[in-house]
């Protein structure tokens, strides 16, 4: 065999390898294109559902914001009402409670003293008493 035939055979063999690799690459890219189309077709409904879900979540968050604002207003009203009650009735109620406590203690002490007349024998007698 001459070197020309050997070079031609090597060139044909190289061309066949390049052709084989090219066919495999074309199949790979065709399959990749199909897979990407399927993925795109499957993600469109997914994105649509996600968008719908986010819309519902935003609606619920707006409702929660409204509820929070109403609760804040109610808390402010209760605070103002408590302050008003404390300012107008708090002082007199505390004084009335202290007075009733003092009166009950005095009555109890008088009853105890009446039941035990000789408890304080060292006391000075009252004026005018013999």
């Amino acid at each position: 065999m001459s070197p020309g035939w050997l070079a031609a055979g090597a060139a044909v063999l190289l061309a066949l390898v390049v052709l084989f690799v090219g066919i495999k690459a074309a199949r790979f890219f065709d399959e990749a294109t199909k897979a990407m189309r399927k993925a795109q077709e499957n993600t469109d409904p997914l994105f649509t559902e996600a968008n719908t879900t986010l819309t519902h979540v935003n609606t619920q968050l707006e409702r929660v914001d409204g509820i929070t604002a109403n609760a804040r207003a109610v808390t402010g009203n209760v605070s103002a009402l408590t302050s008003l009650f404390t300012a107008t009735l708090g002082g007199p109620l505390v004084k009335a409670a202290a007075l009733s406590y003092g009166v009950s203690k005095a009555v109890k002490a008088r009853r105890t003293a009446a039941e035990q007349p000789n408890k304080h024998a060292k006391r000075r007698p009252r004026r005018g008493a013999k």
Side-chain angles (χ1 to χ4, degrees), residues 2-104:
S2 70
W5 283 103
L6 189 60
V12 168
L13 185 62
L14 182 65
L16 288 176
V17 169
V18 168
L19 181 66
F20 179 74
V21 169
I23 291 172
K24 288 288 186 180
R27 286 184 186 167
F28 171 77
F29 286 121
D30 285 343
E31 290 298 321
T33 303
K34 288 178 186 177
M36 289 175 69
R37 282 187 186 137
K38 282 184 182 179
Q40 184 180 6
E41 290 171 2
N42 291 336
T43 56
D44 283 343
L46 181 68
F47 286 139
T48 303
E49 289 178 17
N51 191 18
T52 305
T53 302
L54 285 175
T55 302
H56 289 300
V57 167
N58 285 337
T59 303
Q60 294 300 322
L61 286 175
E62 288 174 5
R63 288 181 183 169
V64 168
D65 284 343
I67 291 169
T68 304
N70 290 339
R72 187 180 307 121
V74 167
T75 303
N77 291 340
V78 168
S79 176
L81 187 62
T82 304
S83 298
L84 178 65
F85 176 78
T86 303
T88 56
L89 297 177
L93 281 177
V94 169
K95 290 177 183 176
L99 177 67
S100 66
Y101 178 74
V103 168
S104 67

